[in-house]
C-alpha cells in the first residue's frame, strides 16, 4: 500500500504570478517624465518593424494606462542585422549597430508572459554593468544610462521572464510526467493525490478553505506560500498533508483526520 502524487503546474505558484506583465504606470513620477522621450526614441525602430512586417514587435508606452515591460524573447527571429542596415543612414553605423544588437529579439510583454518574482527588484532600474559596457563603446554616461533602464530601454533578459512558448513547453512536460505518474498509481493500485488539480484550486480566487480560513497562492496574503514564492509555508504543507490524508482515506477506507493549517507557521504580516 502507498500513496503517490502528481506534479502541480509551476505556473500556478506566486513566483510566476505576482509581478504583472505591465507594471510601468504613467502615474509613477520616476517613469512618467520619460514617456515622450522613450516613444520618440523608439519611433525609428518601430518604423523598421513595420517595414519588416513584424508590427507585433513595436514598442510604445502609454500616458493613460500601465505599459508592458520590454523583454528579450530568444524564440524570436533575430533581426539585429536588418535593424542595423535599416537604421544606419539615419543614426550612423555605431548607433544603428547598438540598436540592432539591443532590439534584435525585443518586444513588449503580453498577458501570456510570466515575470518571475525577482524581476520586481530590477524593473525600471539602471543596469550598471550595461552602462559600463556602453561607456566603454564610446557613449557618455548620460547616454549609456538612458539606454540601460531594465524593462524600459534595455530588454529584460530570459532569466526574468517565462514567455508564452516557454510556459507551453513547461506545461507539456508536466502533463507528460503526470500521465506516467497516473499510470503508475493504477498499475500498483496506489492512493493518488491529484496535486495538479488541487494547486489549480488553490490558485483560484476562491482558494481552499479549512475551518473558515481561506488559503490561496496570492503572494504573502494567501498564506500558503513563503516569501520566495516557490516553497510552501507550514500552513501550506499542512494543506498538502490533508490532501494526502483524503487520498489515503478514499483508497483504503481509513479515517485519518485533517490537521488544522492555522496551527502551523504562515507568514507574519506586520
Amino acid at each position: 500500500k502507498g500513496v503517490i502524487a502528481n506534479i502541480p503546474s509551476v505556473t500556478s505558484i506566486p513566483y510566476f504570478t505576482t509581478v504583472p506583465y505591465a507594471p510601468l504606470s504613467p502615474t509613477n513620477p520616476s517613469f512618467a517624465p520619460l514617456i515622450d522621450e522613450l516613444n520618440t526614441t523608439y519611433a525609428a525602430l518601430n518604423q523598421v518593424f513595420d517595414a519588416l512586417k513584424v508590427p507585433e514587435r513595436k514598442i510604445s508606452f502609454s500616458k493613460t494606462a500601465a505599459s508592458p515591460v520590454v523583454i528579450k524573447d530568444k524564440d524570436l527571429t533575430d533581426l539585429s542585422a536588418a535593424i542595423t542596415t535599416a537604421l544606419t543612414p539615419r543614426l550612423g553605423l555605431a548607433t544603428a549597430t547598438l540598436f540592432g544588437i539591443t532590439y534584435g529579439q525585443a518586444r513588449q510583454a503580453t498577458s501570456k508572459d510570466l515575470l518571475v518574482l525577482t524581476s520586481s527588484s530590477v524593473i525600471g532600474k539602471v543596469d550598471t554593468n550595461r552602462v559600463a559596457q556602453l561607456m566603454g563603446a564610446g557613449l557618455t554616461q548620460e547616454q549609456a544610462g538612458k539606454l540601460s533602464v531594465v524593462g524600459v530601454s534595455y530588454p529584460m533578459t530570459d532569466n526574468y521572464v517565462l514567455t508564452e512558448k516557454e510556459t507551453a513547453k513547461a506545461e507539456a512536460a508536466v502533463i507528460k510526467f503526470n500521465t506516467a505518474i497516473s499510470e503508475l498509481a493504477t498499475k500498483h493500485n496506489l492512493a493518488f493525490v491529484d496535486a495538479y488539480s488541487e494547486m489549480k484550486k488553490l490558485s483560484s480566487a476562491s482558494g481552499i478553505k479549512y475551518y473558515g480560513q481561506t488559503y490561496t497562492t496570492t503572494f504573502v496574503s494567501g498564506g500558503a506560500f513563503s516569501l520566495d514564492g516557490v516553497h510552501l509555508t507550514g500552513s501550506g504543507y499542512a494543506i498538502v498533508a490533508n490532501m494526502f490524508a483524503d487520498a489515503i482515506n478514499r483508497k483504503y477506507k481509513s479515517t485519518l483526520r485533517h490537521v488544522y493549517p492555522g496551527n502551523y507557521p504562515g507568514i507574519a504580516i506586520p
Side-chain angles (χ1 to χ4, degrees):
K1 293 181 180 181
V3 59
I4 190 171
N6 63 9
I7 305 170
S9 171
V10 295
T11 60
S12 297
I13 65 177
Y15 187 76
F16 291 109
T17 60
T18 299
V19 180
Y21 77 96
L24 303 173
S25 172
T27 63
N28 184 332
S30 298
F31 174 67
L34 306 176
I35 293 177
D36 285 335
E37 184 177 358
L38 285 166
N39 286 338
T40 299
T41 300
Y42 278 121
L45 180 64
N46 288 340
Q47 289 176 7
V48 175
F49 286 146
D50 278 332
L52 295 174
K53 302 188 184 309
V54 286
E56 66 277 6
R57 296 203 199 182
K58 292 166 69 174
I59 299 169
S60 64
F61 300 100
S62 173
K63 287 186 172 182
T64 59
S67 297
V69 293
V70 180
I71 66 172
K72 179 177 181 179
D73 184 346
K74 64 181 182 181
D75 287 318
L76 293 177
T77 300
D78 192 343
L79 300 176
S80 298
I83 292 171
T84 298
T85 299
L87 291 180
T88 295
R90 182 184 302 188
L91 304 178
L93 179 59
T95 302
T97 300
L98 174 61
F99 268 66
I101 293 172
T102 303
Y103 303 112
Q105 291 180 295
R107 63 174 174 84
Q108 281 183 289
T110 73
S111 59
K112 295 181 179 180
D113 298 310
L114 303 177
L115 304 187
V116 302
L117 185 61
T118 53
S119 68
S120 62
S121 64
V122 299
I123 294 173
K125 302 294 193 304
V126 173
D127 186 317
T128 55
N129 291 329
R130 160 88 168 174
V131 170
Q133 181 184 21
L134 295 181
M135 290 178 66
L139 273 65
T140 66
Q141 185 171 359
E142 181 180 3
Q143 291 171 328
K146 287 182 178 181
L147 292 173
S148 303
V149 184
V150 179
V152 180
S153 61
Y154 183 37
M156 296 186 69
T157 49
D158 186 61
N159 56 308
Y160 289 115
V161 186
L162 196 66
T163 65
E164 180 182 359
K165 283 189 176 181
E166 291 172 330
T167 299
K169 290 177 183 177
E171 192 70 4
V174 168
I175 290 172
K176 185 176 181 179
F177 276 113
N178 284 349
T179 298
I181 292 170
S182 179
E183 290 172 352
L184 283 172
T186 300
K187 178 180 178 180
H188 296 285
N189 197 28
L190 299 172
F192 176 69
V193 177
D194 188 358
Y196 183 92
S197 297
E198 292 296 330
M199 182 62 74
K200 292 290 185 183
K201 291 179 186 176
L202 191 63
S203 63
S204 68
S206 55
I208 292 178
K209 291 183 173 61
Y210 280 102
Y211 307 102
Q213 175 67 43
T214 300
Y215 297 91
T216 70
T217 58
T218 302
F219 188 56
V220 180
S221 62
F225 277 84
S226 63
L227 294 177
D228 66 6
V230 176
H231 296 92
L232 296 166
T233 59
S235 297
Y237 283 117
I239 292 170
V240 172
N242 288 339
M243 295 176 189
F244 275 78
D246 288 340
I248 293 169
N249 289 343
R250 283 193 302 269
K251 183 68 177 178
Y252 303 115
K253 311 304 179 186
S254 54
T255 56
L256 293 176
R257 291 179 295 177
H258 280 175
V259 295
Y260 174 43
N263 286 339
Y264 297 84
I267 293 177
I269 301 177

